[in-house]
Amino acid sequence: MGFIYSLRASPCVGSGYVEAALNPRNGTCAQMTDIGRERKKNHPHTNQLFPPPVVMTASSLHSDCLVVLFGATAGAYRAKLGSDERELILLVWQVVDLHSKKVGTLHKCLVKADNLELSDQCREVTGLTSEGLSKAEPLDRVLQQFSQLVSSDLKALGRNTYTFCTDGQLLIRQVLHPEASKKNLLLSDCFYSFFDLRKEFHDCYSNVAPVKDQTIQSMAEYIGFRIDETEEDFGVWQVKAMVAVIFNMLPDTCVADDRFTVPETVKYKYETGPCSKSEAVDSETVIRARGLPWQSSDQDIARFFKGLNIAKGGVALCLNAQGRRNGEALVRFVNSEQRDLALERHKHHMGSRYIEVYKATGEEFLKIAGGTSHEVAQFLSKENQVIIRMRGLPFTATPEDVLGFLGPECPVTGGKEGLLFVKYPDGRPTGDAFVLFACEDYAQNALKKHKEILGKRYIELFRSTAAEVQQVLNRYMSTPLIPTLPTPIIPVMPPPYTIAAGSVRDCVRLRGLPYTAGIDDILEFMGDATVDIKPHGVHMVLNQQGRPSGDAFIQMKSSDRAFLVAQKCHKKMMKDRYVEVFQCSGEEMNFVLMGGTLNRSGLSPPPCLSPPTYAFQTAAAVIPTEAAIYQSQALLPQSRTQQASAAAAAAAVAAATPTVTYYPAQAAQLYMNYTAYYPSPPVSPTTVGYITAPQAAVAAAASATHTPMLPQPGALVRMQGLPYNAGMKEILSFFQGYQYAPDDYNGLIQLNDQARSVLQAPKDWVCL
């Protein structure tokens, strides 16, 4: 005789109760007692909600019973269960008494999903329809019914505790916990521990297939239990087979102490904590999450991975060069199995955004989250604290000022000990601080003070993490007091090349280029006229963000050729845009390349130079001996256009064979303007490679031209984020109190008389 269960008209099945003894050898059972009528008599209102029972799970005490649980979603099945974010639509379960080897009623319950559309695989495998699911109860109601029915079954068996037993880990970790988290449902304690039947089966029978290859069918076949999928409803035969496998694993003496003793566990909450750079991190446990909302915290990320066990302090939010979050995070899990499950959540959603999940390495995690500071370790030693980052503090702010700003409604853990001010290596404050709060309520009260005023400044408050504390401290503590000037560059260009000058109209200007256009696109656009382009005569104009502006200049061999090109190519199409072509002079070209403007109103010089003294100085090319070791051909990118005309190809080849030339210190003015205002470099950026100049090359060039040496690292600084109306005096006032530069540096930068006079007096607060 098979299992006996009854179906009701409502979607929840199992109003009767069957107590059965199962023969562990052949999987058959005999009905013992039917007490369904008695339970119906005692509880005539079957839809009435009973208070959830207080039960202890196997995580704290060895359970008397197992609740064999099986489920299905509206999407993928088996190994891909939960990987497509589809909702739960079916739950089937049965209580198994491990001591008396008796079972309770087999219950089958449909779950109404928010999206009733079923995948083709789901309809084929389960036999369910959208119409049938529309009459079911939602998940929260089903969970309440589940709690009532399990409690009744346990009471009838005379037992108090139970633990789930599932086919693998996907139902609990990848379906129930993520869906409950998204729907803001609070799962009871019983859902935080369970037995993986596949692992238990593998431990019992060591000669079977690996755990990942096990299925309900393979386990049932191994013990000789016959499955007839055609005679049973979907979900019912799976639970029957799982129960048969469980009884087959139990010894004949009814003592089950050596089976089902150590359950799998799901962490209740994410634990924060510090990470040391000396700590060993297994690369098989780390993932990179990309596309996170900028305001997301470590708790938000832990909620995204709900059901999986993240290691303590295992969420590291990545910061960009400005110290702000860049939408990425590195997450470390307790083992590789959890990491593999996390990878299955690739492109799952956090709110309205989908999150990409990739593999990462332990080195990457330590680079972000690891720290060596004893002060930080002591600050983060207080566990289970909520961390808030404060940004924009006055440099004179004291701990008392911060505590007063936060107020009594959000007390800081440990008072002053719960504050960590971020400082530069020389002890100067950065305006950042981290604060510890003992609970979420205090942290929420603090976040309400976002952009309130302290002193004369508004303060920004954000959620933070232990890894972010490490990142910020590591970054500021490793920052030099004065950022160094980038190493001089050697442009790869032919020796005879000089910057164009003069009023001869031998250049053309292209306006309205597609932003994706490159040098190859321009050469193809020019057609046969490319043979008349000077070597490295194509110049892309960049905007203030260093991106293509849609303009370009081309140096032609003569003014006649420039005129013909302007007539032939004007308003010719490039990709899906028409391009305007105008004839211009080398002087006009240089004005734009150096940051000036050229329009119908005329020429406007670059903002860094005054019109009376604006001039371009041609530097004689010097080829130092050390530069010969660089092979320029290896630095040039390959052409993207293989079908260009023969003339265009010939011009490209001619432009791709320059020798290495170093421009000495007179060109420092050009370099300064480029870094400050982002004009185009002296040659086309997509056809010319740049390599770092060796120190010997710098010395040889400086010696050969009798010009001052470039300053040592740390002598020059670059300022970003200046107000648009800031002038020379405002900048010098900003650096008041710093030591002035030696007079030897004056020849490095071309200045007009007015600027030179400002720099020379007073000398006690001048800084380059």
Side-chain angles (χ1 to χ4, degrees), residues 599-644:
N599 49 40
R600 293 185 177 89
S601 302
L603 292 172
S604 298
C608 56
L609 301 175
S610 57
T613 60
Y614 183 82
F616 290 95
Q617 300 184 7
T618 302
V622 178
I623 307 177
T625 304
E626 293 80 354
I629 62 175
Y630 297 97
Q631 300 298 323
S632 59
Q633 289 83 353
L635 301 173
L636 298 178
Q638 297 295 325
S639 174
R640 292 184 291 111
T641 307
Q642 302 297 334
Q643 296 80 16

Side-chain angles (χ1 to χ4, degrees), residues 570-609:
H570 184 58
K571 292 193 176 181
K572 181 180 174 182
M573 297 299 293
M574 179 186 294
K575 297 183 178 180
D576 57 345
R577 302 187 63 174
Y578 74 85
V579 179
E580 299 177 289
V581 183
F582 307 99
Q583 188 179 8
C584 65
S585 66
E587 181 181 9
E588 293 170 335
M589 180 188 73
N590 282 326
F591 263 72
V592 178
L593 295 182
M594 293 298 296
T597 58
L598 173 62
N599 49 40
R600 293 185 177 89
S601 302
L603 292 172
S604 298
C608 56
L609 301 175

Side-chain angles (χ1 to χ4, degrees), residues 438-707:
C439 66
E440 187 66 30
D441 292 339
Y442 294 160
Q444 288 291 345
N445 292 337
L447 291 173
K448 293 177 183 178
K449 298 181 179 293
H450 180 60
K451 290 195 174 182
E452 290 190 6
I453 303 298
L454 174 59
K456 296 182 178 180
R457 307 190 60 168
Y458 72 85
I459 310 301
E460 298 175 289
L461 289 93
F462 308 95
R463 288 182 175 275
S464 188
T465 67
E468 186 173 0
V469 176
Q470 298 280 21
Q471 277 187 88
V472 174
L473 266 293
N474 291 344
R475 177 166 298 174
Y476 279 112
M477 292 304 293
S478 61
T479 302
L481 297 182
I482 301 179
T484 59
L485 181 71
T487 305
I489 58 177
I490 297 180
V492 181
M493 60 185 68
Y497 175 80
T498 57
I499 300 177
S503 59
V504 179
R505 299 174 64 81
D506 58 351
C507 301
V508 292
R509 178 185 183 184
L510 277 62
R511 187 170 65 186
L513 294 170
Y515 294 121
T516 58
I519 301 300
D520 296 330
D521 299 313
I522 294 176
L523 293 178
E524 185 178 3
F525 173 81
M526 298 287 291
D528 296 339
T530 54
V531 296
D532 298 320
I533 300 176
K534 290 183 179 181
H536 295 283
V538 182
H539 306 268
M540 305 291 289
V541 181
L542 310 180
N543 60 19
Q544 292 187 354
Q545 287 74 41
R547 299 169 182 168
S549 64
D551 283 18
F553 286 91
I554 302 176
Q555 292 178 264
M556 307 301 294
K557 292 182 178 179
S558 66
S559 58
D560 294 338
R561 298 297 181 183
F563 175 79
L564 292 176
V565 169
Q567 293 295 319
K568 181 179 178 181
C569 299
H570 184 58
K571 292 193 176 181
K572 181 180 174 182
M573 297 299 293
M574 179 186 294
K575 297 183 178 180
D576 57 345
R577 302 187 63 174
Y578 74 85
V579 179
E580 299 177 289
V581 183
F582 307 99
Q583 188 179 8
C584 65
S585 66
E587 181 181 9
E588 293 170 335
M589 180 188 73
N590 282 326
F591 263 72
V592 178
L593 295 182
M594 293 298 296
T597 58
L598 173 62
N599 49 40
R600 293 185 177 89
S601 302
L603 292 172
S604 298
C608 56
L609 301 175
S610 57
T613 60
Y614 183 82
F616 290 95
Q617 300 184 7
T618 302
V622 178
I623 307 177
T625 304
E626 293 80 354
I629 62 175
Y630 297 97
Q631 300 298 323
S632 59
Q633 289 83 353
L635 301 173
L636 298 178
Q638 297 295 325
S639 174
R640 292 184 291 111
T641 307
Q642 302 297 334
Q643 296 80 16
S645 64
V653 171
T657 57
T659 57
V660 179
T661 304
Y662 173 71
Y663 278 77
Q666 289 98 324
Q669 178 185 356
L670 174 64
Y671 180 76
M672 182 191 73
N673 293 337
Y674 176 70
T675 58
Y677 296 97
Y678 298 97
S680 295
V683 287
S684 304
T686 56
T687 60
V688 178
Y690 287 89
I691 54 179
T692 304
Q695 295 296 329
V698 177
S703 175
T705 55
H706 304 288
T707 55

